[in-house]
Amino acid sequence: MSLHSFLDEELGKFGTKTPTDDQVKEAISTAFDRVENEFKRVALEAYKLHYSTICQTGSCCLSTIVINNKLYVANIGDCGGALITEKDDGTYEAIKINTKQAATSRKERERLIKEFPNDPDIVYQSSSTAWYVKRRLMPTRAFGDLHLKHPEFNNPHNLSRSHGFKSRIDPWNGPYITHRPEIRVYEISEKTKGYVLASD
C-alpha cells in the first residue's frame, strides 16, 4: 500500500516513452486511487469487527515527481511546499507550489457550500481561525477519513459513542471530502535550486 510503488507501476506502463503531462497526471491520480482503495478494503474488514477508529484515521499527502525538466506536484490536504529559485540578482525566492485544501480556506468553504447548498452544517466555525467539514475534520481532501466519504462507515448500526463510534451523519449526502489530488506542473531550469515539502 505504498504510493511510490503504485506510481512506479503506473508510470512504468509507458516504457521508454516520455509521457505527456496529461498522462503523468492520470498516472498520479490512479496511484492515489489505488492507495485509497486498498486502505478502504482493509478498513472495512476492521470496521465490521467494531474497530471504529479505523474510519476516523486519515492522512494528508504532498507528493512530487521529477520527469525530465518538469516537477509534478500532487496535493491532498493541508501540507505546504515551495520551489526554491535563484533570481537574477543572486538572491533566492521561495514560490508556493500548492494550496492548502482545508476548511480554513475561504475558497474551499465556498466550494463546499456550492456543492451542498441545502446542508447548513457542511462547514462549521468553532473559532475565528478554525473551520471544520461537518464539524469533524479540517482538511477537505485526504486519504482515509472514511466516515466522511462512504455511508457504510457512517455508523450504520448506530453503535455507542462510548465504544469510539461517532454519531451518525443524518441525513447522509456525502462524500463530503475526497482523496483526488490537485496536480500542478512546474518547469525546472538552471535557476531551480531545490524544493521544500512540509507537514505539521
Side-chain angles (χ1 to χ4, degrees), residues 64-73 83-85 97 184-195:
T64 59
I65 185 168
V66 176
I67 299 177
N68 294 334
N69 64 332
K70 291 183 178 179
L71 175 70
Y72 297 85
V73 181
L83 190 67
I84 310 303
T85 61
I97 57 175
R184 296 182 178 184
V185 185
Y186 296 89
E187 295 285 339
I188 295 174
S189 71
E190 68 279 356
K191 295 288 187 179
T192 304
K193 300 305 176 184
Y195 55 91

Side-chain angles (χ1 to χ4, degrees), residues 141-186:
R141 301 191 198 199
F143 288 126
D145 288 304
L146 301 170
H147 63 296
L148 289 170
K149 294 175 178 173
H150 306 287
E152 58 265 45
F153 293 97
N154 185 35
N155 197 358
H157 303 296
N158 207 20
L159 298 172
S160 171
R161 294 184 66 184
S162 65
H163 289 89
F165 286 87
K166 286 192 174 285
S167 57
R168 296 173 62 175
I169 297 174
D170 194 17
W172 172 265
N173 295 306
Y176 301 101
I177 65 170
T178 181
H179 70 278
R180 297 291 285 181
E182 177 186 63
I183 303 172
R184 296 182 178 184
V185 185
Y186 296 89

Side-chain angles (χ1 to χ4, degrees), residues 17-166:
K17 296 179 180 177
T18 300
T20 66
D21 286 350
D22 286 342
Q23 288 173 325
V24 174
K25 290 178 181 180
E26 185 59 31
I28 292 171
S29 294
T30 300
F32 272 64
D33 286 344
R34 291 177 66 182
V35 170
E36 178 78 1
N37 291 338
E38 180 66 11
F39 180 73
K40 181 185 175 187
R41 182 187 65 78
V42 172
L44 188 56
E45 294 303 311
Y47 194 70
K48 289 176 181 176
L49 297 173
H50 293 181
Y51 290 102
S52 60
T53 55
I54 190 75
C55 75
Q56 301 159 32
T57 301
S59 177
C60 298
C61 178
L62 179 59
S63 180
T64 59
I65 185 168
V66 176
I67 299 177
N68 294 334
N69 64 332
K70 291 183 178 179
L71 175 70
Y72 297 85
V73 181
N75 178 55
I76 53 174
D78 58 2
C79 300
L83 190 67
I84 310 303
T85 61
E86 184 179 3
K87 296 171 24 176
D88 291 339
D89 63 3
T91 61
Y92 294 97
E93 179 181 20
I95 301 168
K96 286 178 63 175
I97 57 175
N98 71 298
T99 57
K100 294 184 178 181
Q101 297 148 351
T104 50
S105 160
R106 177 180 294 174
K107 180 181 176 182
E108 284 294 278
R109 291 197 302 272
E110 289 175 351
R111 178 183 65 79
L112 285 168
I113 290 168
K114 185 176 180 180
E115 287 182 18
F116 300 92
N118 300 316
D119 189 340
D121 203 31
I122 187 62
V123 288
Y124 170 75
Q125 184 177 16
S126 65
S127 72
S128 60
T129 58
W131 295 78
Y132 295 86
V133 180
K134 297 300 288 181
R135 298 177 178 254
R136 297 186 180 203
L137 188 71
M138 279 190 175
T140 54
R141 301 191 198 199
F143 288 126
D145 288 304
L146 301 170
H147 63 296
L148 289 170
K149 294 175 178 173
H150 306 287
E152 58 265 45
F153 293 97
N154 185 35
N155 197 358
H157 303 296
N158 207 20
L159 298 172
S160 171
R161 294 184 66 184
S162 65
H163 289 89
F165 286 87
K166 286 192 174 285

